[in-house]
């Protein structure tokens, strides 16, 4: 799993970047996404950031990508709405 957090000052670039991340994972906070990863997905994300977004950043912009291993995923503590998203629902 990856946690991707961003702070991008330009509205247009920020919106485009959020839409890009949405293709890979789900939004868990305003500018934080949770992405189920594989080496291919990590590679796609980093290449796209380098190719499309890096040159559009100002000195105030930042992106933080935090990989979380499968062994550590069970250590994540969730409260509120995100905690409910982890529960499986059964509809009959």
């Amino acid at each position: 799993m990856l946690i991707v957090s961003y702070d991008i000052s330009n509205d247009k670039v920020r919106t485009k970047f959020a839409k890009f991340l949405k293709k890979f994972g789900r939004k868990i906070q305003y500018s934080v996404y949770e992405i189920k990863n594989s080496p291919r997905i990590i590679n796609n994300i980093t290449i796209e950031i380098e190719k499309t977004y890096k040159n559009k950043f100002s000195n105030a912009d930042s992106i933080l990508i935090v990989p979380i291993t499968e062994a550590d995923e069970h250590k994540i503590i969730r409260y509120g709405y995100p905690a409910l998203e982890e529960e499986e629902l059964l509809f009959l």
Side-chain angles (χ1 to χ4, degrees), residues 30-75:
Y30 184 68
S31 57
V32 180
Y33 279 78
E34 177 182 89
I35 298 170
K36 302 292 184 187
N37 67 319
S38 69
R40 182 182 60 80
I41 289 175
I42 294 170
N43 190 44
N44 288 348
I45 290 171
T46 54
I47 287 172
E48 188 69 18
I49 290 171
E50 288 285 332
K51 185 177 79 174
T52 305
Y53 297 100
K54 188 176 177 182
N55 62 348
K56 297 178 182 176
F57 294 152
S58 72
N59 289 337
D61 296 341
S62 66
I63 295 175
L64 179 66
I65 301 173
V66 181
I68 298 174
T69 64
E70 284 185 40
D72 289 330
E73 279 188 50
H74 74 280
K75 297 177 185 177

Side-chain angles (χ1 to χ4, degrees), residues 9-23:
S9 57
N10 182 298
D11 291 340
K12 187 175 181 179
V13 174
R14 184 176 57 247
T15 300
K16 186 175 178 184
F17 188 71
K19 287 179 182 179
F20 163 70
L21 289 179
K22 192 173 184 176
K23 293 189 285 187

